[in-house]
Amino acid sequence: MKALRAELTKLTSLPGVWIAVAIGLVLPAGVTVLNASNSRSVPSADTGFRELAIGVVAAIVIGVVAISSEYLAEGEESGGSRQITTSLTAVPSRSRFLLAKTAAVAGTVGLLALISSAITLTATDLTSADVSIGTSDLPRVLGIAAYWIFSALLAAGITLVTRSGIIPLSVLIVNISVVSVSFLLTKVTRLAYYFPDLAGTHLFLRDSDGPVDLTPVAGGLVMGLWVAVIAGIGAAAFVRRDA
Amino acid sequence: MNLLRAELLKLATLPAIRFTVIGTWAVTVLLSAAAPDVSTALYGPLLAGFLILGLIAATSEYQGGQIRTTLVAAPRRVTTYVAKVGALVVITLPAAAVTVALGTIVSGESEAKAAGYFAFTTVIAHAVGSLTRRTLPALVGLLAYYFIVGPLLQPRVPFAKYLLDSPDWFVALPWTAVATSLGLLAFRSRDA
């Protein structure tokens, strides 16, 4: 429990995390309002949820920064030391450290996803006359939370291997953009529909436009499997490598 | 001239710069083969490589206090900053030209104007980096703007074509000038 509290303190004192929280709360709701006032966007069963899928950028940033901040060299004045040295002195068991880190990231991102969903879906309900959000959408909100948590853990797993945040941040954020790399790859092979970011959207989207239509549970399982493999590689690297 | 040579030497000996440029070229080849047309590839994910290039060129000075050595050797801030931007442009132009050339070779179509877009964006990223001095927050902001907010605004608001992610040179040039001036002013007046 103490390790978890320590991880939460570290996480909530990072400026990058607060930037991410601001993006996660403002971006999906802002896009919803912008879409509602635009005549060209057609309301569908996924209005509000597609926008929340973009907000996953916040989860990615939190996942990356939680790990990369541990490895950032402080500069010559403080002997070029890194926070990970202090962290592992305080919590020498690497698996316990990782467990606390995972719980802190998943808890923070899950809470953020729920709050952001509440704001965005309320905005959807108020601004789009043709779409109404009710209690029947609750499972999809849990789907959003699962999607955000999975994405954060995926990002953290990659960062455990690279240690620098630059590569995972660039690759993962670029991949949420309108012309994502995964989407381009679906033109080459249908297998790309099983990439974590595309398979995971079945957790909460109902109007699937691709040829591969997964149920929410199957989509979640495919994405969860990706997360388990990649985070597993990251954890194995973390446990074995010198800090 | 010595200043420009020193800045060039620093950029050329940074492994991160080399990896970024070579990585960008590799992705160019892959994407030009996969994308339906060459402008989707060039005006898409590749920009990230140039954002990182400009950003690292600026923020690497502040990791470990190299900036103090730089300013002891070259105390005149304005000329130093101009030399920095100059050296970055000298590195960026060939990198961008090769990127566009690779796209042309692989896809068979040519989109030469993208090289200018890459160069302008690199200089804007450099200005953002020298304002924030920190790599990751600046990277989050730049990527979120260029890849998420910018493309979302583009079809939805009328003024979007005048924003800084416009591929039009006549729009990008003033934005680059404004960003560089802000970076210069901050570099001149702030403590190192």
Side-chain angles (χ1 to χ4, degrees), chain B residues 36-131:
Chain B
D37 57 274
V38 73
S39 29
T40 313
L42 289 182
Y43 291 115
L46 284 180
L47 194 66
F50 290 92
L51 289 174
I52 297 175
L53 179 66
L55 193 57
I56 291 182
T59 54
S60 63
E61 287 272 1
Y62 296 95
Q63 286 174 357
Q66 181 184 271
I67 186 68
R68 285 190 280 275
T69 315
T70 303
L71 288 179
V72 169
R76 307 197 55 166
R77 301 247 173 137
V78 175
T79 28
T80 307
Y81 193 81
V82 172
K84 277 180 183 305
V85 177
L88 181 64
V89 171
V90 169
I91 300 255
T92 306
L93 283 180
V98 171
T99 305
V100 171
L102 283 174
T104 309
I105 293 168
V106 174
S107 68
E109 306 162 64
S110 144
E111 183 59 49
K113 274 177 75 178
Y117 178 52
F118 290 150
F120 286 128
T121 311
T122 310
V123 176
I124 291 176
H126 177 269
V128 173
S130 42
L131 285 172

Side-chain angles (χ1 to χ4, degrees), chain B residues 23-33 41-42 46 98-100 102-103 106:
Chain B
T24 307
W25 289 342
V27 175
T28 308
V29 173
L30 283 177
L31 278 183
S32 306
L42 289 182
L46 284 180
V98 171
T99 305
V100 171
L102 283 174
V106 174

Side-chain angles (χ1 to χ4, degrees), chain A residues 56-64 102 105-111 113 141-159 172 195-204 215-232:
Chain A
V56 79
V57 61
I60 290 171
V61 172
I62 293 176
V64 169
T102 311
V105 169
T108 310
V109 169
L111 187 67
V141 172
L142 294 181
I144 289 280
Y147 186 65
W148 283 33
I149 291 174
F150 279 155
S151 302
L153 296 182
L154 198 72
I158 300 174
T159 316
L172 293 171
F195 275 12
D197 54 324
L198 291 181
T201 55
H202 292 286
L203 279 165
F204 51 90
T215 63
V217 175
L221 280 178
V222 171
M223 191 180 189
L225 199 66
W226 276 98
V227 173
V229 169
I230 290 176

Side-chain angles (χ1 to χ4, degrees), chain A residues 80-99:
Chain A
S81 66
R82 296 168 309 168
Q83 186 179 276
I84 188 74
T85 323
T86 317
S87 301
L88 287 179
T89 310
V91 184
S93 158
R94 299 217 174 171
S95 46
R96 212 159 71 87
F97 172 80
L98 265 191
L99 210 63

